[in-house]
Amino acid sequence: MIKKIKLSKTACYSNETEINPVKINYIYGSNGSGKTTISKVIADESYYTGCNIDWSPNKVEALVYNRDFVSQNFTQSSEIKGIFTLGKNTKDAKELIENKTLELKNVNKEVESYKKSIKKLEEEIQECENEMIKKCWGIKKKYEDVFKNSFTGFIGRKVDFFHKCFDKIDDSVELLTFENLYKMSDNLFNKELELKKLEEELDFRKLIELENDKKLKQVIVGKQDIEIGDLINKLNNSDWVRKGITYLKNSESKCPFCQHSVDTNELNSFFEQYFDETYELQCKQLVTFKETYQTCVNQIIEYIKKFILINDNKEIKSILKIIEEKYKNNINKIDEKISNPSVLIELESLGEGCKEFNLIVKQINEKIVKNNELFNNLNNEKLKLTSQVWKFINNELKSDIESYNKKISGKKTGILSIKSKQKQLDEKSKEISSEIKSKESEITSVTHTVNEINNILLLNGFTSFKLRESSEIGYYQIVREDGSNAKETLSEGEYRFITFLYYYQLIKGSTESSGQTREKVVVIDDPICSLDSNVFMA
């Protein structure tokens, strides 16, 4: 039976029109209102791409009486294809066919019930899928701005994105955090990568040597094996004496230390013997040490400052500040040693700051190495990142996917079970249909139809022509009383009448030796028009 007819983009149906027919329908209207179009669509909907027929439960044979039917069956040749019908004397066979037909109907009804159950489960699966598609699309919107390059090909298509979320990602692909993926995505897609040169670390070995120089921890005093030397060493005032000597020239024969009268030349001679060349050399070495130390540290400070200009790093700025402060303190200590050579000093180490600086440089170089690796292997890295992004998305939806798969699995198992039962009934339906077909072919013939049509012709006063079986099995001829072919000499009324009788018998039979008991949809389009007076009166 036809459940629904949709008509669109054909004849007078420019806009979509929907018809919901019942068991018996009468459609009327003026010429050009679309009645014949309906009959043509029912006859062959495949020819009309804008139209559709919803058959329920199954599609059945449609017999449409219209001009096309007449043209197809009565104008191709002088012979007409015969109609096989069940004869009168076949009571037992008919009962068997009727019983099998009823059994077939019940089987098909049960099959239809299974189909409905399957359809219901499929609709439930679709509902679950729609809900999951919505969740997947929500994740897409959440991360689209960050991962839009990895989502390429799936951004505008919900169903495709949904299926992609369910793709199994290789176990070898690393599951990264959003923060890591964000940074990598930004580096690979949003920044113009370029090869970078590794930064040089500080070589501060010379600085360490200077900081541990023995001269800083050496007591520098004058010659000790002379009389005045023994006194100076006992008093431990070598540096004080050295400074007082500068006043000896202007002391006017008085000791600059005790103000007693002395021979200044003799005293000066004693001091010159005490502060000999060795002492002076050691003092000059302290001055040279200071210059060397200043040069070394200033080179380090300048390098760090240049590094900061390129790499604005707060930690390095803090390290530089500490180095500069310690350096200033160390210069003061060295100056004190130069002024007082006998004093022991220990410099604050700048090496620790240099070590911290080099650690940061190593970290920066590690990033540079990764950057250069990305640059040299950009396409592969992008593919790798894309896999990591999809693994992250899959993990974000993990609990939803597990719940979805659990629901779907049960419903799909149910469908498979029902389909298995349906398949068994389908096989049974085929067996019953085969039995009916076989029995029909045993008891059908075209002779009964010939007799039926000829009797109706006589009852309606048509005596000048009749049907007879053709010499070709399964075909008819329309002949006159003398046996001559009457097809080309029939009046319009006679022609219309016999074509309609043929159609009427076809409803009860089939042009094949089986199929007489099949269900049919019957459509009659304007069966009577322009009949001559004799036919009209009949």
Side-chain angles (χ1 to χ4, degrees):
M1 184 177 175
I2 296 175
K3 186 177 180 180
K4 186 182 297 182
I5 303 173
K6 289 184 180 179
L7 304 162
S8 178
K9 299 178 182 178
T10 183
C12 59
Y13 299 101
S14 55
N15 297 322
E16 186 174 296
T17 300
E18 189 174 292
I19 300 173
N20 298 288
V22 292
K23 189 171 184 179
I24 299 175
N25 303 271
Y26 178 70
I27 301 174
Y28 62 92
S30 59
N31 291 337
S33 61
K35 302 185 300 299
T36 297
T37 299
I38 297 173
S39 71
K40 290 184 175 182
V41 170
I42 294 173
D44 186 6
E45 64 180 290
S46 63
Y47 184 76
Y48 301 89
T49 56
C51 302
N52 175 259
I53 295 179
D54 182 6
W55 297 88
S56 178
N58 299 303
K59 185 175 181 178
V60 299
E61 182 182 0
L63 288 177
V64 180
Y65 181 75
N66 55 17
R67 289 185 177 86
D68 293 338
F69 174 86
V70 174
S71 175
Q72 290 167 6
N73 290 282
F74 287 89
T75 60
Q76 294 175 358
S77 68
S78 62
E79 294 183 333
I80 305 167
K81 198 168 184 180
I83 299 173
F84 291 84
T85 55
L86 299 175
K88 290 183 178 180
N89 302 317
T90 55
K91 182 179 178 182
D92 293 340
K94 282 185 178 181
E95 287 181 359
L96 187 147
I97 291 172
E98 286 175 0
N99 291 334
K100 286 295 179 182
T101 300
L102 180 60
E103 184 181 357
L104 178 63
K105 188 174 182 180
N106 291 332
V107 169
N108 289 340
K109 187 176 180 181
E110 195 170 352
V111 169
E112 187 60 27
S113 174
Y114 284 149
K115 287 181 179 179
K116 287 180 180 179
S117 297
I118 291 172
K119 185 178 180 181
K120 183 180 178 182
L121 286 172
E122 288 175 341
E123 287 174 350
E124 290 175 0
I125 289 174
Q126 188 60 53
E127 287 178 8
C128 292
E129 184 173 304
N130 291 340
E131 183 180 348
M132 193 63 200
I133 288 173
K134 188 176 180 180
K135 289 180 180 179
C136 292
W137 200 244
I139 289 290
K140 175 259 182 189
K141 289 183 176 180
K142 180 178 179 180
Y143 295 111
E144 181 179 359
D145 290 341
V146 178
F147 300 141
K148 60 183 176 182
N149 292 288
S150 296
F151 288 165
T152 298
F154 303 95
I155 289 178
R157 296 177 290 187
K158 291 184 178 181
V159 175
D160 289 347
F161 190 91
F162 158 76
H163 288 302
K164 183 64 178 176
C165 289
F166 280 74
D167 280 356
K168 182 171 177 56
I169 308 298
D170 197 296
D171 292 337
S172 63
V173 177
E174 186 179 4
L175 177 60
L176 301 178
T177 64
F178 171 77
E179 289 73 19
N180 287 335
L181 290 172
Y182 176 82
K183 290 176 183 177
M184 292 173 65
S185 185
D186 189 51
N187 286 334
L188 287 174
F189 294 108
N190 300 332
K191 293 181 180 178
E192 292 186 9
L193 294 176
E194 59 181 11
L195 284 174
K196 293 183 179 181
K197 185 180 178 182
L198 293 174
E199 300 289 352
E200 292 185 15
E201 296 180 18
L202 277 174
D203 182 359
F204 56 95
R205 288 174 294 179
K206 180 66 176 177
L207 174 65
I208 299 300
E209 290 177 10
L210 292 171
E211 290 179 345
N212 294 287
D213 196 296
K214 293 180 180 180
K215 287 188 281 294
L216 304 177
K217 299 177 181 179
Q218 179 183 0
V219 177
I220 301 175
V221 294
K223 195 173 183 179
Q224 300 182 28
D225 56 355
I226 60 173
E227 185 178 352
I228 196 170
D230 186 52
L231 176 63
I232 291 172
N233 289 334
K234 283 183 179 180
L235 296 175
N236 193 25
N237 62 350
S238 173
D239 296 330
W240 178 74
V241 172
R242 184 169 176 261
K243 290 178 182 177
I245 292 174
T246 59
Y247 299 100
L248 186 60
K249 293 179 181 180
N250 302 317
S251 64
E252 298 177 354
S253 300
K254 288 184 178 182
C255 177
F257 303 105
C258 64
Q259 297 298 307
H260 289 97
S261 294
V262 293
D263 184 347
T264 55
N265 289 328
E266 184 182 7
L267 185 61
N268 191 52
S269 175
F270 286 143
F271 286 142
E272 285 179 353
Q273 289 179 46
Y274 180 77
F275 295 107
D276 60 1
E277 290 180 358
T278 300
Y279 179 86
E280 290 300 325
L281 178 61
Q282 289 177 326
C283 289
K284 287 181 180 180
Q285 286 177 340
L286 286 176
V287 174
T288 302
F289 172 83
K290 176 184 177 181
E291 292 173 352
T292 303
Y293 181 75
Q294 285 177 313
T295 301
C296 178
V297 176
N298 283 329
Q299 287 176 345
I300 289 173
I301 289 173
E302 285 303 311
Y303 181 82
I304 295 175
K305 285 182 177 179
K306 289 180 181 178
F307 191 91
I308 290 172
L309 290 175
I310 300 172
N311 303 277
D312 187 12
N313 187 291
K314 290 182 180 180
E315 291 183 67
I316 293 178
K317 286 181 179 179
S318 178
I319 291 170
L320 176 61
K321 186 176 180 181
I322 293 172
I323 288 175
E324 288 177 328
E325 288 176 355
K326 287 184 177 181
Y327 171 58
K328 183 179 179 181
N329 293 336
N330 285 344
I331 291 299
N332 290 335
K333 289 181 179 181
I334 295 171
D335 286 340
E336 183 184 358
K337 177 69 174 176
I338 293 172
S339 299
N340 304 288
S342 65
V343 175
L344 301 180
I345 65 169
E346 185 174 353
L347 300 181
E348 295 183 63
S349 177
L350 307 184
E352 289 302 317
C354 294
K355 286 181 182 179
E356 291 179 14
F357 173 81
N358 280 349
L359 285 174
I360 295 173
V361 171
K362 284 182 180 179
Q363 293 172 357
I364 292 173
N365 281 339
E366 286 174 0
K367 292 180 180 179
I368 291 174
V369 169
K370 289 182 179 180
N371 172 82
N372 292 346
E373 287 176 351
L374 289 178
F375 180 86
N376 292 324
N377 198 24
L378 188 59
N379 288 333
N380 287 336
E381 290 298 326
K382 285 181 177 180
L383 290 173
K384 180 180 176 182
L385 174 63
T386 297
S387 294
Q388 290 169 333
V389 166
W390 281 111
K391 187 155 191 173
F392 171 80
I393 295 299
N394 183 273
N395 189 65
E396 284 279 287
L397 291 164
K398 186 177 180 180
S399 60
D400 291 317
I401 288 174
E402 289 175 351
S403 175
Y404 170 81
N405 285 336
K406 188 175 181 180
K407 290 179 184 177
I408 296 302
S409 176
K411 296 181 187 301
K412 286 185 176 180
T413 301
I415 289 175
L416 289 175
S417 176
I418 295 172
K419 282 186 175 181
S420 175
K421 295 176 182 178
Q422 181 187 330
K423 184 179 180 181
Q424 294 176 2
L425 287 178
D426 285 338
E427 292 298 322
K428 186 174 182 180
S429 176
K430 288 178 182 178
E431 291 176 7
I432 296 172
S433 296
S434 179
E435 288 182 53
I436 293 173
K437 185 175 182 180
S438 176
K439 184 59 64 176
E440 286 178 341
S441 63
E442 291 176 8
I443 62 174
T444 56
S445 70
V446 298
T447 303
H448 180 67
T449 304
V450 170
N451 294 334
E452 286 288 312
I453 291 177
N454 286 337
N455 286 336
I456 295 173
L457 288 173
L458 289 173
L459 288 173
N460 286 276
F462 292 95
T463 58
S464 60
F465 68 95
K466 63 180 179 180
L467 284 186
R468 75 176 180 191
E469 292 184 53
S470 172
S471 58
E472 184 177 352
I473 297 174
Y475 284 85
Y476 305 144
Q477 285 183 327
I478 304 175
V479 296
R480 294 294 182 185
E481 290 180 288
D482 59 1
S484 62
N485 193 319
K487 186 176 180 183
E488 300 300 326
T489 60
L490 294 175
S491 69
E492 183 179 354
E494 291 171 334
Y495 184 71
R496 291 287 181 181
F497 194 70
I498 195 165
T499 58
F500 187 74
L501 289 180
Y502 181 83
Y503 172 77
Y504 173 69
Q505 293 298 321
L506 189 56
I507 293 173
K508 300 186 292 180
S510 171
T511 55
E512 298 176 358
S513 60
S514 63
Q516 290 74 25
T517 58
R518 287 198 301 260
E519 291 185 343
K520 300 179 180 72
V521 168
V522 177
V523 180
I524 301 174
D525 180 28
D526 297 334
I528 301 174
C529 63
S530 304
L531 299 180
D532 58 29
S533 58
N534 290 333
V535 176
F536 184 75
M537 289 174 66

